[in-house]
């Protein structure tokens, strides 16, 4: 089956689900997978920040994310990887109370299983069969700029500078 993702808390306002693949695939296929997963599993929970950005697959290689663990540049709180089954403990606070233990972070990463490419494509085909992708004119792109702080992550700013749409 499909290996469980790694989970992370952002240090500010959300969670991350991290998948690694056993070998590289085109970024457009990764975006298709994320869009299909959102439609299949997360459609009822509002806005999502998908990376690489669905609006600009060509800029995906330019995007650089702040890999957990790190201190969030706006909140000053810590992000970090957590076991998927620990997500309920972080419902109210999407941050770690202190810098995470690096040995524990490494253990979570070492235990993570990459998704075999054939399993990745089988899951993609299954999700797209049940939730066909929207036509280009029906797609909705979520602005990522946080209006409350006027903060735009560096990776998003780089994409915008290269011409990616913001909304």
């Amino acid at each position: 089956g499909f290996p469980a993702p790694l989970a992370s808390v952002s240090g500010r306002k959300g969670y991350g689900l991290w998948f690694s693949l056993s070998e590289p695939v085109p970024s457009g296929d990764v975006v298709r997978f994320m869009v299909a997963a959102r439609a299949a599993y997360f459609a009822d929970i509002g806005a999502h920040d998908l990376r690489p950005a669905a609006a600009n697959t060509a800029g995906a290689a330019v995007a650089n994310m702040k890999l957990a663990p790190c201190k969030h540049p706006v909140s000053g709180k810590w992000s970090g990887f957590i076991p998927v089954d620990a997500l309920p403990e972080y419902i109210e606070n999407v941050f770690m109370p202190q810098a995470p233990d690096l040995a524990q972070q490494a253990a979570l990463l070492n235990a993570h299983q990459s998704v075999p490419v054939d399993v990745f494509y089988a899951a993609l085909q299954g999700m797209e069969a049940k939730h066909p992708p929207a036509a280009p004119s029906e797609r909705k792109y979520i602005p990522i700029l946080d209006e409350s702080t006027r903060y735009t992550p560096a990776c998003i700013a780089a994409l915008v500078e290269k011409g990616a749409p913001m909304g």
Side-chain angles (χ1 to χ4, degrees):
F2 203 93
L6 279 170
S8 68
V9 288
S10 72
R12 183 164 175 226
K13 63 178 182 176
Y15 307 94
L17 295 178
W18 300 75
F19 296 95
S20 64
L21 298 172
S22 61
E23 56 190 89
V25 299
S27 64
D29 292 350
V30 173
V31 170
R32 283 178 46 218
F33 182 89
M34 291 187 303
V35 169
R38 178 172 54 184
Y41 300 107
F42 305 108
D44 60 335
I45 60 171
H48 303 83
D49 179 5
L50 298 178
R51 299 191 187 176
N56 184 5
T57 58
V62 176
N64 74 26
M65 295 183 59
K66 302 259 187 272
L67 183 61
C70 68
K71 193 177 265 193
H72 194 280
V74 173
S75 74
K77 303 208 174 178
W78 282 91
S79 68
F81 290 107
I82 58 173
V84 172
D85 59 358
L87 279 170
E89 297 172 31
Y90 291 91
I91 288 176
E92 295 297 321
N93 298 311
V94 293
F95 58 87
M96 297 188 140
Q98 60 193 21
D101 179 272
L102 293 181
Q104 291 174 344
Q105 295 289 288
L108 285 169
L109 290 167
N110 285 331
H112 177 68
Q113 295 180 3
S114 292
V115 179
V117 172
D118 61 330
V119 172
F120 169 81
Y121 281 111
L124 174 60
Q125 289 174 347
M127 289 185 296
E128 286 186 337
K130 291 180 182 174
H131 303 275
S137 64
E138 298 171 3
R139 291 186 185 140
K140 296 178 184 173
Y141 298 111
I142 301 165
I144 299 174
L145 177 67
D146 184 337
E147 294 296 333
S148 66
T149 63
R150 304 295 300 166
Y151 171 72
T152 301
C155 58
I156 302 305
L159 288 172
V160 172
E161 287 174 10
K162 295 197 180 306
M166 278 295 284

